[in-house]
């Protein structure tokens, strides 16, 4: 059985990019019949592989290759290791018996994954950012901390906010379900921080190992994920701004309700929330309502 992440990639290629099942099979190196099965399920039924395939000739040398490539970052570009030179060192100094092709493929992938990503200040339509914020509220007569899921469409400045008792996996998934239902469309991509709900581990080369729950959510809705750099909140500045905006405008004065359902019914529906908070500095005086997301709709991957 294939990993959940591969399911999402194959399904995205066929459903969104328009590849035929046979073309997708060639791209991902799998049997066309397997692609057909993947199109029937958003997540793999039954057993899922927990470890990547073993590369017996290369795996023992991965740590050496990673160290050489990492050290190269402090060397003049014209004196960094080429794939050919790295292969020669592995062969002559470390007894590597494999071919140059597997070394070249690994080095190419390593360099692609380690490139620094710069988030543009101009936001194209059809892309979203998501995060959690915290505030104080009185629920059922008790003052407590609440956690609210914030979802922002930077191009149109449309927003969605909904509150929960805690920042849990259930809240994360339910927040996506409610936000996407509110906008009645699925964005092409969503930008996140490195929350443990979505990212199980950040590997040495910067690649994210996704959690099973997040991979299933992504495979179901077929959006692409993007992650900001650790401790670099400006990578997702729009939703960071929304978190502060929601706290200052929706949570002042301190909200007091009998339940979270009552709180969200009163403030979580954005047209209502927008009437209470006319001060957010939108570009071109755009408003935070469901209608505002219409500017993003033509570029969304699909309607719900």
């Amino acid at each position: 059985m294939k990993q959940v992440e591969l399911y999402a990639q194959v399904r995205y290629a066929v459903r969104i990019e328009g590849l035929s099942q046979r073309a997708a099979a060639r791209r991902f190196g799998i049997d066309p019949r397997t692609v057909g099965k993947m199109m029937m399920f958003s997540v793999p039924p039954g057993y899922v592989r927990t470890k990547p395939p073993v590369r017996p000739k290369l795996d023992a040398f991965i740590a050496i290759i990673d160290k050489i490539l990492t050290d190269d970052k402090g060397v003049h570009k014209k004196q960094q290791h080429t794939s050919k030179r790295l292969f020669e060192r592995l062969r002559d100094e470390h007894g590597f018996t494999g071919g140059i092709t597997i070394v070249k493929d690994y080095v190419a992938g390593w360099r692609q994954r380690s490139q620094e990503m710069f988030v543009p200040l101009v936001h194209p339509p059809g892309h979203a950012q998501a995060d959690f914020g915290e505030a104080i509220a009185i629920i059922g007569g008790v003052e407590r901390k609440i956690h609210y899921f914030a979802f922002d469409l930077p191009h149109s400045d449309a927003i969605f906010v909904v509150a929960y008792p805690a920042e849990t996996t259930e809240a994360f998934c339910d927040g996506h379900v409610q936000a996407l239902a509110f906008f009645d469309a699925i964005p092409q991509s969503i930008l996140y921080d490195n929350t443990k709900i979505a990212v199980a581990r950040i590997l040495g080369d910067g690649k994210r190992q996704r959690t099973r729950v997040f991979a299933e959510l992504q495979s179901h809705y077929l959006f692409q994920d993007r992650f900001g750099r650790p401790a670099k909140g400006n990578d997702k500045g729009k939703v960071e701004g929304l978190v502060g905006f929601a706290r200052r405008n929706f949570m002042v004065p301190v909200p007091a309700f009998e339940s979270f359902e009552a709180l969200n019914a009163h403030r979580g529906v954005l047209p209502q929330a927008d009437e209470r908070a006319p001060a957010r500095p939108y570009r071109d005086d755009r408003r935070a309502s469901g209608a505002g997301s219409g500017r993003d709709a033509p570029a969304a991957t699909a309607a719900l």
Side-chain angles (χ1 to χ4, degrees):
M1 302 299 291
K2 305 298 179 182
Q3 292 183 357
V4 177
E5 287 186 28
L6 179 59
Y7 257 66
Q9 293 169 5
V10 172
R11 285 166 53 80
Y12 188 92
V14 175
R15 294 278 179 85
I16 307 303
E17 296 181 15
L19 258 64
S20 68
Q21 293 188 15
R22 188 169 296 277
R26 287 196 299 269
R27 175 188 289 187
F28 295 99
I30 56 180
D31 191 281
R33 290 172 296 182
T34 303
V35 176
K37 293 177 182 178
M38 287 178 167
M39 303 315 297
M40 298 170 61
F41 305 97
S42 60
V43 296
Y47 172 77
V48 177
R49 184 195 295 271
T50 57
K51 294 182 179 180
V54 176
R55 296 166 293 192
K57 290 195 174 181
L58 186 66
D59 283 348
F61 300 90
I62 293 296
I64 299 172
I65 297 173
D66 288 350
K67 184 177 186 310
I68 292 174
L69 293 174
T70 301
D71 291 345
D72 267 357
K73 290 186 175 182
V75 178
H76 191 281
K77 187 174 182 178
K78 292 184 178 180
Q79 288 183 267
Q80 294 178 359
H81 287 76
T82 63
S83 298
K84 178 176 179 292
R85 179 62 184 137
L86 202 152
F87 163 73
E88 291 171 348
R89 287 194 60 190
L90 290 176
R91 181 194 62 197
D92 299 340
E93 300 174 21
H94 301 282
F96 178 65
T97 59
I100 190 173
T101 301
I102 57 174
V103 175
K104 289 175 67 175
D105 290 345
Y106 180 81
V107 171
W110 190 96
R111 285 178 172 154
Q112 184 179 32
R113 292 189 298 269
S114 62
Q115 287 180 350
E116 187 172 17
M117 180 185 70
F118 295 92
V119 179
L121 293 178
V122 177
H123 301 283
H127 299 274
Q129 298 181 10
D131 201 2
F132 270 97
E134 297 179 354
I136 298 297
I138 299 172
I139 305 296
V142 179
E143 184 176 281
R144 57 170 297 168
K145 181 186 291 186
I146 66 170
H147 301 257
Y148 54 94
F149 179 79
F151 196 93
D152 190 290
L153 297 177
H155 178 76
S156 62
D157 280 321
I159 64 174
F160 179 83
V161 179
V162 60
Y164 297 96
E167 183 179 342
T168 62
T169 299
E170 291 77 10
F172 182 84
C173 293
D174 185 70
H176 281 76
V177 172
Q178 292 207 44
L180 298 179
F182 176 79
F183 293 121
D184 195 29
I186 302 168
Q188 295 179 38
S189 73
I190 305 176
L191 177 63
Y192 303 92
D193 60 13
N194 294 281
T195 171
K196 291 183 178 179
I197 297 175
V199 179
R201 223 169 101 194
I202 301 180
L203 305 179
D205 56 8
K207 186 177 180 181
R208 271 68 171 179
Q209 180 180 325
R210 291 138 180 91
T211 63
R212 179 181 176 86
V213 168
F214 179 73
E216 290 177 349
L217 179 74
Q218 185 182 24
S219 181
H220 178 74
Y221 283 112
L222 295 178
F223 60 84
Q224 293 182 317
D225 58 19
R226 296 181 294 139
F227 296 96
R229 294 167 295 172
K232 297 288 184 179
N234 57 307
D235 282 354
K236 51 183 182 62
K238 291 294 294 181
V239 74
E240 293 278 355
L242 171 57
V243 166
F245 173 81
R247 185 184 299 112
R248 293 188 301 271
N249 291 277
F250 304 162
M251 311 296 176
V252 176
V254 173
F257 291 88
E258 284 302 312
S259 65
F260 277 90
E261 290 77 11
L263 168 63
N264 288 323
H266 191 65
R267 294 179 181 265
V269 180
L270 292 186
Q272 296 179 6
D274 187 50
E275 292 167 5
R276 294 185 183 84
R280 191 186 186 203
Y282 299 101
R283 299 189 308 278
D284 303 327
D285 196 31
R286 295 168 183 162
R287 306 304 298 151
S289 66
S293 64
R295 299 182 183 88
D296 281 276
T301 60
L304 286 175

